[in-house]
Each structure stands twice: as structure tokens, then as C-alpha cells.
Amino acid sequence: MKKEFVSMTENITEDIRQRLFELRDEKYRAFQEKLKPSASPVIGVRSAELRKTAKELAKGCWRDYVSALNSSSYYEERTAAGMSIYYAKTDIGERMEYTDIFLPFIDGWAVCDGVCATIRLKKDERDRFWEYVVKKALSGEEFVSRFGLVAILHDFVDEEHINGIFDIIERINYAGFYDSVGAAWLLAECMTKLPERTFEYMRVSRLNDMVYNKAIQKMRESYRVSPEIKNELKRMTRA
């Protein structure tokens, strides 16, 4: 019988690692390694099983597990730790506190994006979390910035925040590929939800060519953007 991680144990890291290796799928591991989800080693645990582990962890000793992350942690360990912060029953202040502990261990797009997809906010948490993710987006650190951008993508693409989103994307001091693509992805999501506002922004944007062209690429790949807008965007692509 598999252990339930609902109370403090002396060997929580070893216990979770054992559980993850029990769930290992070699074919899936080979597939994941081709996708390069993280700079860390991959065990090969399917997403549904990884989420189940994170939810179970969140019932008890998630704080100890997040605090025990280290440079040798596997991709799945990092992701389960981050997810557990947002599955746990706690307040937004503690979530942000432990997110700060977790963020240095994001070392790949899949770690970041899997955790961001787990975030669910209560109405009275939104303003405080918006301020938090804006600071992360503007951090100038590649994966910390991506975390902020992808969290915004999931929770704040609306009329209230759209001008702020455009301002943030313009102000970022982009550190690498993954924060740049995160900004492009966010803009593509803005185009699907607020096409007129986003199209007008793209016409006057001062973004660097990489983010601008990648955003247009993602917009044109989306089935939620109209053919008419896609044709206009094609003509707007920079050389």
C-alpha cells in the first residue's frame, strides 16, 4: 500500500522520491526528455499521477517538502512541490511566502507552467496576487519572470488588467528565451480574449523583434483568432 503523506515525517524527500519512482513510465520518460521540460533529471511520471502526488502532499507536510528542495531535486520533485503550494489549504500570504522559496528551483518551462496552471484565486486574493506576479514578471530573472507572465496569463487577462499587461510586457528587461516566449504567449492569450485592444497594441508596440514576432506567430497559430486578424498580423511581421 502506498504511503499517505499527510503528517510530518523525518524522510519526506525520500518518501516522495520513492513514490515518484514507483510511478515511473520509461516510455513517457523518453518522451519527456525530448521535450526538455527542465534542466534537472526526469523520472518519467505522467501529469495526472504527478498532480495526485502533489494533492496528497498538500494535505500535510508540503511546507517541509518545499523547504527541502535542493540543486539535485528531480523535475517531478520540483513540480510537485510548486503545485502543492497551490493545492494546500492556506491563505494567499503563505502561498506567496512559499512561492518565494520555490521560485529559485524553477529550471524549465514545464516546471513553471505546470505550477501556474494550478493557481486558483479567491476574489479577495486577486489584487494582492496581481501585485506579487507583476513584481515577478519584472524581476529580470528568466524563469521568475516567466512565472509572473504565465500566472498573469491564467488569471488576469481581462478588461481590468489589459493595459497593465501591455505596460508590463514593454518594461521587462528580458533575460532569455523562456521569459520572452512567456510574454509572447501572454500576448497571444490577450488576442484571443480582447482582440481589438490587443491588435491596436501590436500596431504601436515597442517590443523587441523576438517577442513581437513570436507573439504574432502564436496568435496566427491559435484557432481562437479570426482569419482576418491573422492575415493582418502576417503583414505586420518584422523582417
Side-chain angles (χ1 to χ4, degrees):
M1 181 180 292
K2 294 176 180 177
K3 297 178 182 178
E4 293 186 359
F5 305 107
V6 296
S7 60
M8 178 60 182
T9 71
E10 292 182 357
N11 299 302
I12 182 60
T13 301
E14 290 79 2
D15 289 346
I16 295 288
R17 183 169 292 182
Q18 180 181 347
R19 162 70 69 85
L20 292 171
F21 271 94
E22 289 173 359
L23 295 168
R24 186 175 198 168
D25 181 324
E26 282 292 348
K27 289 184 179 179
Y28 188 69
R29 183 182 65 81
F31 169 73
Q32 282 286 84
E33 286 185 339
K34 291 179 182 179
L35 295 179
K36 304 292 184 185
S38 165
S40 301
V42 175
I43 297 171
V45 179
R46 291 186 178 273
S47 297
E49 294 293 342
L50 187 56
R51 287 195 175 275
K52 286 181 184 178
T53 301
K55 288 177 180 178
E56 191 171 320
L57 177 62
K59 294 175 184 177
C61 50
W62 62 273
R63 298 173 183 85
D64 304 287
Y65 191 67
V66 173
S67 299
L69 287 172
N70 58 66
S71 60
S72 63
S73 297
Y74 284 84
Y75 153 67
E76 287 87 352
E77 292 174 321
R78 295 165 190 257
T79 306
M83 287 177 174
S84 74
I85 298 169
Y86 291 94
Y87 282 135
K89 292 183 178 180
T90 187
D91 60 72
I92 193 64
E94 188 171 38
R95 292 192 204 283
M96 293 187 296
E97 175 188 346
Y98 277 87
T99 299
D100 282 340
I101 295 171
F102 162 73
L103 285 174
F105 297 97
I106 297 179
D107 65 349
W109 62 269
V111 182
C112 172
D113 300 357
V115 174
C116 288
T118 310
I119 298 170
R120 298 291 184 272
L121 299 173
K122 297 177 182 178
K123 186 176 181 180
D124 62 357
E125 296 174 336
R126 288 178 59 79
D127 289 347
R128 190 173 175 190
F129 197 68
W130 165 256
E131 293 178 2
Y132 178 78
V133 293
V134 167
K135 289 179 181 177
K136 300 310 174 186
L138 296 173
S139 68
E141 300 176 52
E142 185 173 12
F143 285 112
V144 175
S145 181
R146 185 181 175 98
F147 174 86
L149 291 164
V150 179
I152 290 170
L153 182 154
H154 282 290
D155 293 289
F156 295 103
V157 179
D158 53 35
E159 286 281 359
E160 180 183 354
H161 297 97
I162 190 68
N163 287 336
I165 290 171
F166 296 152
D167 178 64
I168 292 159
I169 289 174
E170 293 270 352
R171 291 167 56 200
I172 293 173
N173 181 21
Y174 291 96
F177 177 79
Y178 290 103
D179 53 348
S180 297
V181 173
W185 183 18
L186 173 54
L187 282 171
E189 185 69 12
C190 291
M191 183 65 82
T192 68
K193 293 184 177 179
L194 297 162
E196 293 183 7
R197 299 279 295 280
T198 307
F199 184 79
E200 286 305 308
Y201 166 72
M202 293 298 289
R203 290 180 63 237
V204 299
S205 165
R206 296 171 295 173
L207 290 169
N208 67 56
D209 290 349
M210 192 278 183
V211 175
Y212 177 86
N213 285 338
K214 180 61 72 171
I216 287 180
Q217 176 190 333
K218 288 187 171 294
M219 291 170 186
R220 295 185 64 233
E221 290 172 349
S222 174
Y223 67 88
R224 295 180 292 164
V225 175
S226 72
E228 294 77 16
I229 290 179
K230 289 181 180 181
N231 288 335
E232 289 296 322
L233 289 170
K234 184 178 182 180
R235 288 191 281 269
M236 290 165 57
T237 302
R238 296 174 187 166

